[in-house]
Amino acid sequence: MIPNTFEYTAPLTLKVALALIGEGGKPLAGGMSLIPMMKLRMAAPEHLVDIGRIAELNYIREAGGELHIGANATHYDVESSPLIVGKCPLLAETAGHIGDIQVRNRGTLGGSVAHADPSADYPAALQALEAKIVLTSATSQRTVAVGDFFIDTFTTSLEPGELVTEVIVPVEAGLTGTSYQKFLQPASGFAIVGVAARIRREAGKITVARIGVTGVSGNSYRALKAEAALVGKAGSDAEIDAAAALVGEGVEAGADLHASAEYRLHLAANYAERAIRVALSRTA
Amino acid sequence: MTQTISVTINGKPYTHDVEPRLLLIHYLREVVGLTGSHIGCETSLCGACTVEVDGRAIKSCTMFAVQANGASILTVEGLADASGKMHRVQEGFWNEHGLQCGFCTPGMLMVSKQILDRNPSPTETEIREGLDGNLCRCTGYQHIVKAVQAAAKAGV
């Protein structure tokens, strides 16, 4: 499996990279999705701009109650960063579920987000975290809410010439518990269903509930009805079950050889229940 | 059009002109002549091509050689020390019969080293999770897990 020929540039600065991407160059990050597609000749970019050597995209820092993660952070960086593990454990936990050691060593947060695979793990967590994505071109920079960024299968609001340069997630407040629960396709490791729950419980009552879902349909989403069903509740087993049952409400579930639409929705309720239960157990 | 890359492989420097589309595994096997790393699936699922690039285990069928320009690469040929003394993961696989046909073994050894470098005393579950990206078609996982456990013990 040999890819088509291409021109390859590995700039050391973001400025040069953005100029090349503006001229139609295709960004290459960890390559964990793009290279397999090129080997299958499903993708044949004429010019690859390898952003892997751009040090200014390689950072994880805290500022203003948020964590700013440079696009070049690998999944291993995300799962093992003391800052992310300590202050945004949902993202670290989710990164640890991606692929395998070798994939996590190369694949990057920015690359995964830009690829927008409907079975990717990050989107569930990023939806639950209400993350923001920073998109930069040679002439502009904008910050987009994750709900506006992911549009459909392999489709995002990235415009030609733009690069995902940073992902912003909140520093988790006290009394908040989070969990990512995933039913995976055993050969590929991709999520058939993945549910991220982020719940704040104060004085015995749930005050904030955020539930992000991946794998069920062509796009990740927030399960707003399930979230609303939790707010104001103590979090009893019956209340968790009732909320989890709403996680696929109004969603057009996808079907493929791994799972029918009906089975996906069944799994979604099941894994939502697990995610909510574990998140609640971590609110203390 | 070729590009010039310089890499260090198992401590030795190499410089070659390569096509950008040349995969690292093909570079290692066909250009450098190090055939210890195997090509199994070519779809980043089987892990037989696993090598270390700057200390991180990666699947060399899913990386271009040009991406490794300037890097330090460790392949299975570099695991034993200069005197020929085997690495403890190799000792573990030898003593615990961690291989049958041996095809997956180079990748299994490289990822086992990474598991132990990051976590010197992993649980059995941690070992099994760590081996997730490597397939053995002889179904020899039980012995492979024992081999990693033996290697961990030898490192304490």
Side-chain angles (χ1 to χ4, degrees):
Chain A
M1 280 190 284
I2 311 293
N4 225 331
T5 53
F6 55 85
E7 193 188 334
Y8 172 88
T9 317
L12 298 176
T13 67
L14 183 57
K15 194 172 174 218
V16 174
L18 290 173
L20 294 169
I21 292 164
E23 291 163 13
K26 172 80 175 167
L28 170 68
M32 294 296 97
S33 301
L34 181 56
I35 296 177
M37 293 208 308
M38 289 174 67
K39 287 163 67 181
L40 294 167
R41 304 230 177 171
M42 290 163 68
E46 286 176 11
H47 183 190
L48 275 191
V49 181
D50 183 355
I51 60 169
R53 292 172 198 276
I54 302 174
E56 61 197 294
L57 290 177
N58 209 348
Y59 57 87
I60 298 168
R61 59 176 170 250
E62 182 179 2
E66 295 174 319
L67 297 185
H68 297 255
I69 307 169
N72 275 355
T74 63
H75 312 322
Y76 176 69
D77 294 336
V78 172
E79 74 173 310
S80 64
S81 153
L83 198 56
I84 299 177
V85 170
K87 304 213 168 180
C88 190
L90 177 59
L91 193 66
E93 181 185 359
T94 304
H97 280 272
I98 298 170
D100 49 56
I101 287 182
Q102 296 97 316
V103 166
R104 295 197 293 275
N105 277 343
R106 292 270 325 139
T108 70
L109 176 59
S112 174
V113 164
H115 185 54
D117 191 306
S119 302
D121 294 292
Y122 280 133
L126 296 175
Q127 294 275 6
L129 291 163
E130 298 172 275
K132 292 177 279 186
I133 317 291
V134 180
L135 312 177
T136 310
S137 75
T139 54
S140 68
Q141 184 166 71
R142 61 195 176 110
T143 303
V144 181
V146 72
D148 297 326
F149 177 77
F150 290 120
I151 292 176
D152 205 340
T153 304
F154 302 126
T155 308
T156 68
S157 58
L158 266 170
E159 294 289 339
E162 282 184 326
L163 179 72
V164 172
T165 49
E166 183 179 282
V167 173
I168 304 171
V169 292
V171 168
E172 218 53 275
L175 307 173
T176 300
T178 57
S179 174
Y180 178 64
Q181 299 288 328
K182 168 187 185 181
F183 183 79
L184 58 79
Q185 205 283 322
S188 70
F190 274 104
I192 290 177
V193 163
V195 181
R198 177 167 168 249
I199 297 172
R200 188 171 158 90
R201 185 160 55 180
E202 291 166 277
K205 290 265 188 269
I206 293 169
T207 54
V208 177
R210 297 284 180 268
I211 297 172
V213 184
T214 190
V216 174
S217 65
N219 195 12
S220 60
Y221 63 93
R222 272 198 29 216
L224 298 173
K225 285 182 181 164
E227 293 177 0
L230 287 171
V231 174
K233 305 289 184 352
S236 70
D237 286 350
E239 287 162 352
I240 292 172
D241 290 349
L246 297 172
V247 83
E249 190 89 351
V251 175
E252 199 181 314
D256 57 22
L257 79 167
H258 304 307
S260 66
E262 189 188 4
Y263 184 47
R264 273 197 159 75
L265 289 171
H266 173 79
L267 287 172
N270 220 298
Y271 280 75
E273 184 237 302
R274 294 184 195 191
I276 295 166
R277 202 177 296 283
V278 176
L280 276 170
S281 75
R282 294 173 176 170
T283 53
Chain B
M1 202 173 68
T2 61
Q3 298 194 0
T4 304
I5 61 166
S6 294
V7 292
T8 303
I9 306 171
N10 303 331
K12 269 178 71 176
Y14 295 86
T15 298
H16 288 104
D17 291 334
V18 300
E19 253 195 291
R21 65 173 170 169
L22 182 70
L23 294 165
L24 181 59
I25 184 65
H26 292 137
Y27 172 71
L28 292 170
R29 289 177 57 88
E30 292 157 23
V31 179
V32 183
L34 293 170
T35 53
S37 310
H38 289 166
I39 302 174
C41 70
E42 272 193 277
T43 53
S44 34
L45 291 172
C46 83
C49 65
T50 300
V51 301
E52 268 188 18
V53 173
D54 289 333
R56 288 188 170 200
I58 62 103
K59 294 179 177 176
S60 60
C61 78
T62 310
M63 182 171 179
F64 295 116
V66 285
Q67 289 178 282
N69 186 18
S72 176
I73 299 168
L74 181 71
T75 71
V76 69
E77 289 93 340
L79 273 184
D81 71 17
S83 71
K85 184 180 177 298
M86 287 198 291
H87 189 277
R88 63 190 165 111
V89 294
Q90 292 172 306
E91 291 282 357
F93 274 68
W94 175 271
N95 289 326
E96 296 297 326
H97 309 285
L99 60 143
Q100 198 173 103
C101 84
F103 191 87
C104 72
T105 312
M108 288 288 180
L109 290 168
M110 296 310 294
V111 80
S112 298
K113 176 179 180 293
Q114 180 93 100
I115 293 167
L116 296 178
D117 283 349
R118 287 180 178 172
N119 180 0
S121 43
T123 63
E124 184 180 332
T125 304
E126 286 167 339
I127 292 171
R128 287 182 184 275
E129 282 173 1
L131 297 170
D132 198 31
N134 292 67
L135 298 180
C136 164
R137 301 319 295 263
C138 305
T139 66
Y141 297 106
Q142 190 56 43
H143 290 304
I144 292 170
V145 171
K146 281 186 180 164
V148 181
Q149 287 172 324
K153 224 176 207 172
V156 174

